[in-house]
Amino acid sequence: MSSTNRSGLVGQSVQRVEDDRLLRGNGQYIADLDPDNVVHAVFVRSPMPHAKINSIDASAARRAPGVVAVITGDDLKDTTHPFPPLLMLPGLYTPMYHALSADKVRLVGDPVAVVLAESRALAEDAIELVEVDYEPLEPVADIADALSPSSEPLWEKAGSNVVMDHTDTFGDIDAVFAGADRVITERFECQRQSNQPMETRGSLVMVDDDGHMTIHNATQSSHALRWLVAALTDKQSMGASLKAIAKNKDRRSSFASGMKSFLQSNSDDLKDQDNSGAAAQFKKDKSFLGAMNKIGVGLLAKESYPTVKAQDIGGGFGAKGSIAREDIAVAAAALSVGRPVKWIEDRIENLMDGGQAREESMTVSIAVDNDGTFRGLKVDMVMDQGAYPGFPVGAPMISKMIKVMFPGSYKWDAYEIRSRIVATNKGKYVAYRGPWANETWARERMIDVTAAALGISPAELRLKNMIGEDAMPTAMITGPTIDATMSTRKTLEHALTLVDMEQFEADRAEAAERGHCLGIGIASYHEAAPGPPNYWDSINPGSGMLMPEEGYTTIEADGSVVIYTSQMPHGQSHETTYAQVAADELGVALDDVKLVYGNTDKTSFSLIGTGGSRGGPIGGGVVRKTSREVRRQIAEKAADMLECAADDVEIIDGNIHVAGVPARGITFAEVAKQAADDGAKGDKYGTPFEYGTNYNGAGDGGWSTATQICVVDIDLGTGKVTFPRYLVVEDCGPIINPAIVNGQVRGGVAQGIGSVLYEQATYDEDANLQSATYMDYLLPTAMEIPEVEVHHLETHSEGFENDFRGVGEGGMIGAPAAVTNAIENALSDYNARVTTQYLPPTKILELAGQISPD
Amino acid sequence: MTDTTSNTDTPRLQAERDAGGSIVDLSVTVNGTHHQVSVEARRPLSDVIREDIGLTGTHLGCEHGVCGACTVLIDGEPARSCLMLGAQAEGTEITTIEGLAGPDGELHPIQQAMMEAHGFQCAFCAPGFLMSAVALLDENPDPTTAEIREELSGNLCRCTGYQSIVAGVETAVRVMKESGK
Amino acid sequence: MKAPPFIYHRPETLDEALALLTEHGDDAKVLAGGQSLIPLMGLRMGRPAHVVDIGRVPKLDAIHVDSDGAVTIGALVRHEQANKSPAIAEHAPLIAQTMPWVAHRAIRTRGTVVGSIAHADPAAEMPAVVLATQATMTATSTRGDRTIAANDFFEGYLDTALEADEILTSVTFPAWPANAVSAVTEVARRHGDYALVGFVGKLVVGDDNVITDAALAFLGAASTAVRVTAAEAVLQGAPANDESFAAAAEVVSAELEPPSDIHGSTAYRKHLAGTLTLRGLQSAANRIGASA
Ligand SMILES: Cc1cc2nc3c(=O)[nH]c(=O)nc-3n(C[C@H](O)[C@H](O)[C@H](O)COP(=O)(O)OP(=O)(O)OC[C@H]3O[C@@H](n4cnc5c(N)ncnc54)[C@H](O)[C@@H]3O)c2cc1C
């Protein structure tokens, strides 16, 4: 098989296919679309963090110049369903809420109405004329407020602002803690951050004369958006829906057969599911069952589902994986006004409610022996999910990822984690690049705290407890299998060889004379990229069915190669890497491969799209598997034409020939034409050659690993922190395109540095947002981010034909730990203890004892 | 070349008059093409370029001057097109990202260099970085790495960590020196 | 984030501009470089009914050096123009040192030096330069010209002695003493941001290394730019050495009570002001003897 992989593109830093259009300014981002007759949507947003809505008077706004319509929360109640509870975990209450708030607002920025006008400016004029009578409620600003039993509940049916409280225990935790030499405890707090892609969110919805809706949207998850819009905007009566179903035999039977195949292919996962969460949810809020029924029947009855299209997307980092309330409101607005409706979020809106993350408090206890052997680990975590849970992935799902990953690459005898989620009057919590990353931060921080207490060096303590190849295969205490791809130890050992500690000590002494403190910090971790098959089951039993993704490789009648993916690229360079993989498999040039994405009419369903480091291993794996099969089909056909055995067919640069006789070769076009003439026609795309597969990326490992080491330089006069050195040793298995991998790692590290030194979504004690512009939410610039050395290990997972592993998240996951560890190390003469992730200059000088807190 | 748009009676402009805003007749040259448009006085130059003239390569990331994605050249000098009224650009020559490549489509050295260096990822910020880089190299054809970083610090990128963008400018410096441009 | 509607005026002469301001008074705003006014309008924090764009008014973009060396900067001189001006480098070195600290080049090409003074942001550099150099503001209206002294000009946060019908047509910086040295330094959260605290200092040092005159002005340290005269007094007559500078820095830290905000506490800013004073004075002193 490998004899045909002559182009050798995989492993090369080939130039990006995307760049020609993007660097010429010919990209097509959502805001660039400007259909005739479009109206611009602007949301009326609450200026109050927490209030009852007594009334809304939109009459003056409706009369304002250029206004086409004003839709209020009450209007939308009649035309849309509320967001349904999707993930009903044991111990969790999941609220239901409409796209626009009608009765109560829960954060500054909560949308209560939407104005449609001839220009964005005119709509902004009109939103000022919508009069809302608010009756203020006590704001819930932070975790402490929310934990207080007397706080005003955001969700009455939840009973309090603690919407989840659940404990998972692995091993005999009490015995292990009782038997260890020492127990060390520390509390770590991470501030609220925001994903902040450079392009804000946006949606353009058009409804054609037949009632078919097309949604152009900057979404990481086109199919999930399609289904949710279909589900929530269909509000005919139950009777009408049932009648429509009764009339439509085709739909009934296709539904039945679809259901059957779903049940068959996911039977194990379905059996494993724990339904106690749904039962508890039902006890607290019976209405969800009715809503789910109506949505289900409505979906069945629906004539046509929307088409979602997305082309170029200006970054997402998880924030565009959520289906926004605004997305639903814009779709409903387009249905009601009969003109294209365009919503381009502005930066203030984005900073208010475009997605926030990471606000977690974690009390960590380590039971350890005096020789440094880790025994037990206890975590008491509270996550602040803000006002509305991100949909479909929010704090509850992420709490489960934290649960699984917290023990890290180390061996433990027992582990327990209590996970609480609270509701507060702040922006919605979404997945942000490595959504579970605070497990790495708190654990790696805690290891340094422990090392200091025991008088052992941080590197030594890590090496003493880290699982090595000799112990493999094994499993994390939380369940997932560990194989050789869990190579964290190798990354640490290699990283340590890259640092000259003697030189560092000399530099440190020299810096001290200038009033500067140098410090060094380490962070080591592994991440599921995508993880072994039992990773998702460890997160939540039965959720393994989220893993697979379907994609196709096709050869069209003219011989061109077209790949269909459900991935939704937004900066990751899929067009390049997938072309590299397919071109190598098929023996064609990079330019011969075209990638189709972002159009739900053409691609297969995927709940996730791009996220969770899936692009390389799963999406890339699909491309490799399907191209390989298509290559086999072509060889078979060509063998007939060339009158040789299929095994003797060689393809080089698109020339299909008998091995060793390239002069008598035939082209893809010739073979495709012959196949078409002979009646070959794929089921899905109707092309002469096509193959699709539903692939879950499984090896027994599927881990990516890394160690980051950085040196910080702190100026005690100013509290400014710079980085004389930053290095990452990463292992994501075989690399498709090194330049792209380096870019992912460096971009992630930059965000992690931002997390520690610059970025905080700041609210005051009354939950008013203080960081609503880029003057106050600080993204680091080229002057703040250092050069990052990236070193690669490429551990292979033996025995698996497809071994790519994800690399999009690791940079971000490790950086906050490495940086905060280095800062504590730098300030060790001042007995500093770093317990917050956010360390702006004021905090640095407080830690260094130069100033006292105000 | 002239590309004249006369659209004084659109519902948008009629409503603008009702709202009490002035309409201005604006004449500008963008990438060598002359344009005559009627726009709201409050319309920032960025919106005029993108929506009235239809060149969407210039992007809006923050609309308050911090992110730099909207940077264009006005009479050869870099400026934030979101912090200028279209009306203030009357009579100027504007260059946007679409104006960098040669008439035959040949990429500008900075575009070529960014491609080689894998400068960008999502590339939403690219128009601003490219225009800032062009302005820098016009003035200082041989900048140090520190000068490049300082000049580019007026542009935000969320994807790359900047190293590849800085490398792209360094590559362009090399290429331009070699080709004597 | 779009500005509210307004009536737009683009006067071709100063008289026309002044007449418009007389007519519309408080309802009008002068638009110079727009680098502060336009974002404020976009945020709907500024809502003038009339915008008077002075961008086409002739002769306001001049930098004039008079025979005794005083430098007059007209209302339309952009930061970047000042940054590159040989006249400013020679006759107003403190302004030349200041310009690179103002925002980023793509903002400096539009924003004006005088507009920054008229805007009176306490975290902007130019108001501190005005105080340190004791510049004179020339305000013009249909009632004629009047001059305003530096110490009378800044009245509060974004508030000056200018009347609604006046244009600040120029600012005059007195001749730079032959034996003066200066430094500008600041710390911002990120490069190019408005400073957390900034230092603008000028020393006149005699041949015997004794300081004969000192001006220490700060940005980001109060609701307006401020001078710390108590620290200047410490330097007056003292030798130009680290010991004197440290003593002045200590006084600065003690005297200033900067407001606390999400980017820095009061204690932090006090500490920072001390650091910047020491480093700024050292840097200025390093220039002694170098050709001014
Ligand atoms: C991202 C960003 C960062 C910045 N960073 C800095 C910084 O670090 N330091 C700094 O100093 N500035 C900074 N600025 C502000 C910038 O320097 C502005 O240009 C300056 O403050 C105002 O000058 P302007 O000509 O643009 O004034 P405009 O925006 O046109 O006007 C500002 C105000 O002054 C009034 N005004 C202007 N000129 C006159 C006049 N001649 N007579 C009467 N009134 C007048 C206007 O009516 C308005 O109220 C920054 C701006 C941005 C967007």
Side-chain angles (χ1 to χ4, degrees):
Chain A
M1 188 46 81
S2 61
S3 74
T4 59
N5 296 347
R6 287 292 171 75
S7 39
L9 292 167
V10 168
Q12 307 285 326
S13 290
V14 300
Q15 289 182 15
R16 300 201 317 157
V17 174
E18 295 84 350
D19 272 343
D20 189 71
R21 79 169 177 272
L22 297 178
L23 294 171
R24 289 177 189 276
N26 294 338
Q28 196 165 71
Y29 299 84
I30 177 73
D32 302 343
L33 303 173
D34 191 17
D36 285 347
N37 209 25
V38 69
V39 294
H40 297 263
V42 173
F43 288 89
V44 180
R45 293 180 184 274
S46 166
M48 305 248 169
H50 203 181
K52 277 216 285 251
I53 299 175
N54 287 331
S55 63
I56 298 189
D57 179 357
S59 52
R62 289 196 170 101
R63 289 193 304 268
V67 170
V68 174
V70 180
I71 297 169
T72 66
D74 273 331
D75 300 334
L76 263 204
K77 266 189 174 170
D78 297 333
T79 56
T80 62
H81 293 292
F83 279 63
L86 194 65
L87 188 69
M88 289 178 277
L89 298 171
L92 170 69
Y93 172 77
T94 311
M96 293 204 296
Y97 50 90
H98 275 88
L100 298 176
S101 294
D103 307 317
K104 188 173 175 178
V105 290
R106 296 182 178 83
L107 79 150
V108 173
D110 204 335
V112 299
V114 58
V115 172
L116 309 175
E118 299 290 347
S119 72
R120 166 109 197 173
L122 291 162
E124 285 192 24
D125 297 344
I127 61 172
E128 297 179 346
L129 302 175
V130 176
E131 277 180 39
V132 186
D133 178 12
Y134 294 107
E135 184 179 326
L137 297 169
E138 196 59 38
V140 184
D142 55 24
I143 288 175
D145 280 0
L147 290 178
S148 154
S150 62
S151 64
E152 177 75 33
L154 272 75
W155 306 102
E156 291 84 353
K157 287 175 179 161
S160 82
N161 285 313
V162 180
V163 296
M164 189 178 106
D165 188 350
H166 186 79
T167 300
D168 292 283
T169 308
F170 305 87
D172 190 346
I173 191 80
D174 293 337
V176 167
F177 265 70
D181 290 343
R182 310 181 54 162
V183 172
I184 300 166
T185 299
E186 192 63 76
R187 183 159 100 179
F188 300 103
E189 281 170 356
C190 183
Q191 85 283 11
R192 191 161 265 262
Q193 301 166 23
S194 179
N195 316 45
Q196 291 305 307
M198 293 317 301
E199 177 201 42
T200 58
R201 300 176 296 163
S203 199
L204 166 67
V205 181
M206 303 193 269
V207 181
D208 69 18
D209 294 342
D210 300 335
H212 181 72
M213 182 188 283
T214 301
I215 304 170
H216 295 268
N217 191 291
T219 176
Q220 290 177 230
S221 195
S222 47
H223 286 278
L225 176 64
R226 171 181 191 243
W227 276 79
L228 200 71
V229 172
L232 300 196
T233 58
D234 185 80
K235 225 181 157 185
Q236 57 183 339
S237 72
M238 197 76 162
S241 293
L242 289 170
K243 225 196 269 162
I245 298 169
K247 274 206 296 224
N248 193 334
K249 191 162 156 248
D250 288 350
R251 179 162 300 249
R252 277 199 326 270
S253 61
S254 83
F255 172 76
S257 71
M259 198 63 188
K260 206 163 127 202
S261 86
F262 175 81
L263 292 174
Q264 265 166 7
S265 51
N266 294 298
S267 62
D268 289 347
D269 281 329
L270 289 166
K271 246 184 268 149
D272 285 348
Q273 280 182 354
D274 176 352
N275 293 319
S276 63
Q281 174 90 17
F282 184 68
K283 248 196 222 153
K284 287 192 164 160
D285 182 358
K286 294 189 177 43
S287 67
F288 91 87
L289 212 60
M292 299 278 257
N293 274 337
K294 270 189 235 155
I295 289 172
V297 173
L299 272 176
L300 247 172
K302 216 171 169 72
E303 272 301 318
S304 89
Y305 288 31
T307 300
V308 174
K309 289 185 180 171
Q311 203 190 329
D312 292 310
I313 296 181
F317 313 107
K320 292 173 183 167
S322 291
I323 315 293
R325 296 166 70 203
E326 290 89 343
D327 292 332
I328 303 299
V330 170
L335 285 171
S336 85
V337 297
R339 286 173 66 177
V341 177
K342 180 174 177 177
W343 170 61
I344 301 299
E345 180 184 49
D346 72 21
R347 188 55 64 181
I348 298 178
E349 297 179 277
N350 186 262
L351 283 161
M352 281 194 294
D353 205 22
Q356 300 175 355
R358 298 258 199 277
E359 187 169 10
E360 279 125 28
S361 151
M362 296 179 170
T363 304
V364 185
S365 298
I366 277 192
V368 60
D369 285 343
N370 288 329
D371 69 354
T373 306
F374 292 170
R375 304 289 311 283
L377 177 64
K378 255 191 230 177
V379 180
D380 184 351
M381 167 173 73
V382 187
M383 304 176 82
D384 181 342
Q385 77 168 4
Y388 297 88
F391 187 96
V393 176
M397 177 70 111
I398 292 161
S399 78
K400 297 295 172 189
M401 295 175 160
I402 293 174
K403 167 198 81 176
V404 173
M405 296 309 296
F406 204 109
S409 310
Y410 308 93
K411 190 177 165 310
W412 304 94
D413 296 334
Y415 164 54
E416 179 171 281
I417 181 167
R418 179 183 185 192
S419 307
R420 277 175 288 178
I421 297 176
V422 299
T424 61
N425 297 116
K426 293 183 290 197
K428 72 164 179 286
Y429 183 111
V430 299
Y432 175 26
R433 197 174 203 171
W436 57 92
N438 274 338
E439 50 75 37
T440 289
W441 177 61
R443 180 191 64 248
E444 295 297 302
R445 199 69 283 293
M446 189 65 195
I447 290 175
D448 274 27
V449 167
T450 306
L454 298 174
I456 301 178
S457 88
E460 207 183 311
L461 187 61
R462 284 181 172 81
L463 286 170
K464 187 172 180 62
N465 292 286
M466 202 177 277
I467 297 168
E469 269 182 318
D470 52 336
M472 294 172 193
T474 178
M476 292 181 75
I477 192 167
T478 48
T481 309
I482 283 177
D483 75 351
T485 64
M486 204 292 277
S487 60
T488 317
R489 189 181 182 95
K490 287 201 290 188
T491 64
L492 174 58
E493 286 168 350
H494 186 65
L496 292 171
T497 67
L498 299 170
V499 180
D500 179 345
M501 282 308 289
E502 265 175 42
Q503 182 63 47
F504 169 74
E505 290 302 342
D507 292 346
R508 194 205 291 260
E510 182 271 329
E513 290 182 7
R514 294 181 284 118
H516 286 232
C517 300
L518 292 199
I520 189 164
I522 306 176
S524 296
Y525 50 96
H526 68 285
E527 52 165 320
N534 55 4
Y535 171 69
W536 279 94
D537 280 333
S538 310
I539 285 178
N540 194 38
S543 56
M545 59 190 170
L546 287 176
M547 280 283 270
E549 180 172 308
E550 187 178 76
Y552 280 76
T553 294
T554 67
I555 309 292
E556 302 205 342
D558 66 357
S560 55
V561 181
V562 182
I563 311 267
Y564 294 86
T565 181
S566 306
Q567 287 282 310
M568 203 40 258
H570 48 286
Q572 299 86 349
S573 324
H574 291 69
E575 286 170 73
T576 307
T577 50
Y578 287 10
Q580 286 177 266
V581 171
D584 272 7
E585 290 296 331
L586 291 163
V588 300
L590 196 72
D591 306 347
D592 294 335
V593 183
K594 186 178 157 228
L595 186 70
V596 173
Y597 60 87
N599 180 339
T600 54
D601 289 348
K602 296 194 172 161
T603 60
S604 307
F605 178 79
S606 156
L607 183 66
I608 298 178
T610 291
S613 291
R614 294 163 56 88
I618 300 186
V622 169
V623 174
R624 178 175 267 188
K625 283 174 85 80
T626 55
S627 318
R628 194 164 281 187
E629 169 59 20
V630 164
R631 196 260 174 211
R632 199 195 56 72
Q633 293 174 8
I634 290 172
E636 210 163 71
K637 188 81 214 166
D640 281 353
M641 295 168 69
L642 295 166
E643 298 178 341
C644 68
D647 278 355
D648 292 337
V649 173
E650 197 171 63
I651 311 179
I652 297 175
D653 290 341
N655 178 357
I656 307 171
H657 53 268
V658 180
V661 204
R664 293 194 25 231
I666 51 180
T667 65
F668 271 60
E670 285 163 332
V671 179
K673 178 162 188 314
Q674 185 66 50
D677 288 350
D678 294 348
K681 194 163 188 272
D683 288 343
K684 186 152 170 127
Y685 298 102
T687 53
F689 297 105
E690 73 179 45
Y691 182 71
T693 192
N694 201 16
Y695 178 61
N696 69 2
D700 269 348
W703 304 107
S704 285
T705 66
T707 290
Q708 301 192 10
I709 298 187
C710 67
V711 175
V712 296
D713 176 320
I714 298 174
D715 180 343
L716 289 179
T718 65
K720 295 284 274 186
V721 179
T722 54
F723 296 88
R725 182 126 192 245
Y726 206 114
L727 73 89
V728 178
V729 177
E730 71 78 36
D731 184 351
C732 65
I735 291 175
I736 300 174
N737 187 315
I740 289 171
V741 167
N742 289 344
Q744 289 291 323
V745 172
R746 291 189 176 120
V749 167
Q751 283 179 319
I753 289 173
S755 301
V756 177
L757 298 177
Y758 301 103
E759 300 180 34
Q760 173 167 246
T762 315
Y763 287 82
D764 70 10
E765 64 269 23
D766 293 325
N768 295 302
L769 182 64
Q770 308 289 292
S771 50
T773 71
Y774 270 176
M775 305 286 252
D776 288 322
Y777 191 92
L778 307 180
L779 304 185
T781 78
M783 290 292 276
E784 282 76 48
I785 299 299
E787 291 214 349
V788 177
E789 291 165 45
V790 186
H791 303 264
H792 304 286
L793 303 179
E794 294 190 58
T795 301
H796 289 254
S797 173
E798 291 310 322
F800 293 96
E801 56 172 349
N802 178 51
D803 200 18
F804 306 131
R805 297 196 290 281
V807 74
E809 301 176 280
M812 167 103 225
I813 292 170
V819 175
T820 52
N821 282 348
I823 288 172
E824 183 171 291
N825 179 257
L827 298 177
S828 52
D829 285 352
Y830 301 91
N831 294 321
R833 173 56 39 89
V834 172
T835 59
T836 58
Q837 187 166 108
Y838 185 49
L839 303 172
T842 298
K843 183 77 187 179
I844 294 282
L845 292 192
E846 287 171 5
L847 285 167
Q850 305 295 303
I851 58 175
S852 36
D854 270 359
Chain B
M1 266 199 293
T2 301
D3 179 334
T4 304
T5 329
S6 193
N7 49 0
T8 44
D9 270 339
T10 63
R12 184 185 112 200
L13 294 186
Q14 281 162 8
E16 182 71 8
R17 284 190 199 94
D18 295 343
S22 313
I23 309 290
V24 292
D25 293 325
L26 173 63
S27 159
V28 286
T29 301
V30 184
N31 304 330
T33 303
H34 181 249
H35 296 268
Q36 183 88 38
V37 290
S38 298
V39 300
E40 301 91 325
R42 59 168 146 170
R43 203 158 242 251
L45 178 61
S46 46
D47 286 358
V48 173
I49 292 172
R50 289 176 47 79
E51 295 179 24
D52 299 288
I53 293 175
L55 292 172
T56 55
T58 299
H59 294 162
L60 283 173
C62 76
E63 297 183 275
H64 53 281
V66 183
C67 83
C70 68
T71 305
V72 298
L73 303 184
I74 311 270
D75 294 330
E77 296 238 56
R80 303 280 202 245
S81 60
C82 78
L83 292 190
M84 250 179 107
L85 303 178
Q88 288 177 288
E90 172 64 32
T92 59
E93 300 231 3
I94 298 167
T95 312
T96 69
I97 183 172
E98 290 96 335
L100 288 180
D104 51 355
E106 188 197 355
L107 293 177
H108 184 283
I110 189 75
Q111 291 170 310
Q112 189 61 47
M114 286 297 174
M115 197 177 272
E116 279 169 30
H118 278 249
F120 300 102
Q121 292 174 29
C122 84
F124 193 80
C125 65
F129 274 99
L130 291 179
M131 301 322 286
S132 295
V134 167
L136 167 66
L137 298 180
D138 272 355
E139 199 174 75
N140 178 2
D142 198 8
T144 62
T145 305
E147 284 168 341
I148 295 170
R149 282 191 176 263
E150 168 151 27
E151 189 76 15
L152 297 185
S153 70
N155 293 79
L156 298 178
C157 165
R158 191 59 159 166
C159 293
T160 63
Y162 301 103
Q163 193 167 332
S164 54
I165 303 177
V166 174
V169 178
E170 287 173 335
T171 306
V173 168
R174 217 177 44 237
V175 169
M176 288 165 86
K177 254 198 254 169
E178 280 163 15
S179 71
K181 269 206 185 174
Chain C
M1 209 182 288
K2 308 289 181 194
F6 51 78
I7 307 287
Y8 176 73
H9 306 272
R10 188 163 55 209
E12 299 287 338
T13 65
L14 184 60
D15 285 345
E16 211 184 306
L18 296 174
L20 284 163
L21 290 179
T22 301
E23 184 184 344
H24 299 295
D26 280 340
D27 291 338
K29 271 277 178 204
V30 172
L31 174 65
Q35 302 303 287
S36 294
L37 183 58
I38 291 177
L40 282 174
M41 293 196 303
L43 294 162
R44 297 196 172 225
M45 283 151 66
R47 338 178 55 111
H50 295 264
V51 168
V52 180
D53 176 359
I54 60 171
R56 306 279 150 159
V57 173
K59 295 200 210 123
L60 292 182
D61 62 352
I63 299 170
H64 176 78
V65 185
D66 77 11
S67 54
D68 71 356
V71 175
T72 298
I73 295 184
L76 285 176
V77 173
R78 318 274 174 185
H79 288 116
E80 199 57 14
Q81 186 187 345
N83 195 24
K84 292 193 185 122
S85 155
I88 287 196
E90 188 183 341
H91 298 285
L94 181 54
I95 296 177
Q97 286 173 329
T98 302
M99 287 302 109
W101 292 103
V102 178
H104 302 278
R105 181 168 163 212
I107 292 164
R108 293 195 295 263
T109 56
R110 301 292 310 166
T112 63
V113 173
V114 169
S116 153
I117 295 165
H119 189 54
D121 191 310
E125 288 79 8
M126 277 315 296
V129 173
V130 164
L131 291 183
T133 56
Q134 292 293 296
T136 305
M137 276 45 73
T138 300
T140 309
S141 67
T142 47
R143 294 166 286 133
D145 283 351
R146 67 175 177 124
T147 56
I148 308 169
N151 292 349
D152 301 330
F153 188 73
F154 303 106
E155 296 189 335
Y157 179 76
L158 305 186
D159 193 12
T160 67
L162 285 177
E163 301 291 339
D165 65 346
E166 286 179 320
I167 292 178
L168 185 56
T169 42
S170 67
V171 177
T172 300
F173 298 84
W176 188 250
N179 51 352
V181 289
S182 59
V184 179
T185 184
E186 65 180 47
V187 167
R189 290 292 302 279
R190 287 175 305 194
H191 185 80
D193 282 348
Y194 279 108
L196 290 164
V197 175
F199 164 91
V200 173
K202 176 184 123 182
L203 292 178
V204 182
V205 182
D207 290 341
D208 51 0
N209 201 39
V210 169
I211 300 167
T212 57
D213 189 18
L216 307 181
F218 294 85
L219 45 137
S223 62
T224 62
V226 284
R227 272 176 79 158
V228 180
T229 47
E232 293 168 355
V234 168
L235 293 170
Q236 202 68 255
N241 62 20
D242 282 359
E243 213 175 308
S244 315
F245 300 157
E250 209 169 299
V251 173
V252 165
S253 266
E255 287 279 311
L256 288 174
E257 277 301 322
S260 169
D261 67 17
I262 66 171
H263 299 301
S265 71
T266 296
Y268 171 76
R269 285 184 153 97
K270 286 166 83 79
H271 178 89
L272 180 60
T275 299
L276 294 172
T277 304
L278 177 60
R279 293 181 186 175
L281 289 170
Q282 285 170 335
S283 149
N286 280 337
R287 292 164 181 265
I288 296 173
S291 68

